[in-house]
Structure formats: structure tokens, C-alpha cells
Amino acid sequence: MKIIIASDHAGYQLKENIIKHFAGDFEWENLGTYSSESVDYPDYAHPLAEKIASGENKYGILICGTGNGIGMTANKHAGVRAALCWNVEIAALARQHNDANVLVLPARFITDEEAFNVVKTFFSTAFEGGRHQRRVEKINIH
Ligand code: RB5
């Protein structure tokens, strides 16, 4: 499975750690940022979200300090379902019920170990479909 990943400066270190930890498990495309120098999260969320919205890529990970700014930005793109997940239960439900295609992590409020578990859960959990399919189809307004 190929995963595209991006962060701002607050998420930079966790992004690098995730890529390293799962180097043999997934194919990664790192869309930046490439250092802990201060940047603006929309500059990293939009390019990743565009690739998901266009269908060029199926799954992504976005990371900022709280996860909120980068997730809010990504969710402006139709077809992007970015879910802020801070534990494995929420990660599983984001896939099972919401068919989330972008995992959002709050770097300043999650340990590396918990983040690794969240990544593992998110990308190994299937969408349940059924009644959730109808709800997911009602998300887009265009
Ligand atoms: C950066 O300081 C911080 O504001 C950002 O990473 C994020 O938490 C915004 O939502």
C-alpha cells in the first residue's frame, strides 16, 4: 500500500519517525515539511489533499501540533475524509464507519508508540459499508 504523508514543523519529527518505523510495511511519498523550521500547515495540507481528491493517491497521513489545522484544511477538498485520531479505537472507527482516507495525528498530544499503533490500526481496518455507505455519500455538498 502506498501512503502519502505531510506535516508542518510541529509534526515533522513524528512524520520522520513514522516513515522510519514502517519503512518495510508501506510505500511512502514524503510531501514535506523537511525540517523543524516553522511553516504554515495549509501549505502542506492542500497538496496532499489535492492528490487524494483527484484520485492520484488513495490514502494519506497529515500531522500538525493538534491535528486540527491540518485536518480542517484537508477536509475543504471534496472526497477527502480526514480523521483526527489520537487512539486506536478512534482510528478503527474512522475506517469502519467513516471510510476515512486521511489519518490526522496530533503530534504534541500523542506518544510515538501510540501514534505507531494508530497508524497500524488505521491501515489494517476495512470500511464496513452498509448503513455507513449512505452516510459517507451524504458528506460532500458538491
Ligand atoms: C503550530 O504551532 C501549530 O499551531 C500547528 O501545528 C497546529 O497545531 C495547528 O492546528
Side-chain angles (χ1 to χ4, degrees), residues 8-10 41 64-70 108:
D8 72 354
H9 54 289
Y41 56 78
C64 71
T66 60
N68 274 326
I70 210 157
R108 290 181 174 148

Side-chain angles (χ1 to χ4, degrees), residues 2-3 13 15 24 45-46 55 62 64 67 69 72-73 82 86 90 95 108 110 124 128 139 141:
K2 182 175 179 184
I3 303 173
Q13 197 54 58
K15 171 170 65 66
H46 285 306
L62 286 170
C64 71
M72 286 176 186
T73 309
W86 58 93
I90 289 170
R95 290 286 311 126
R108 290 181 174 148
I110 193 167
S124 61
E128 281 179 3
I139 292 175
I141 53 172

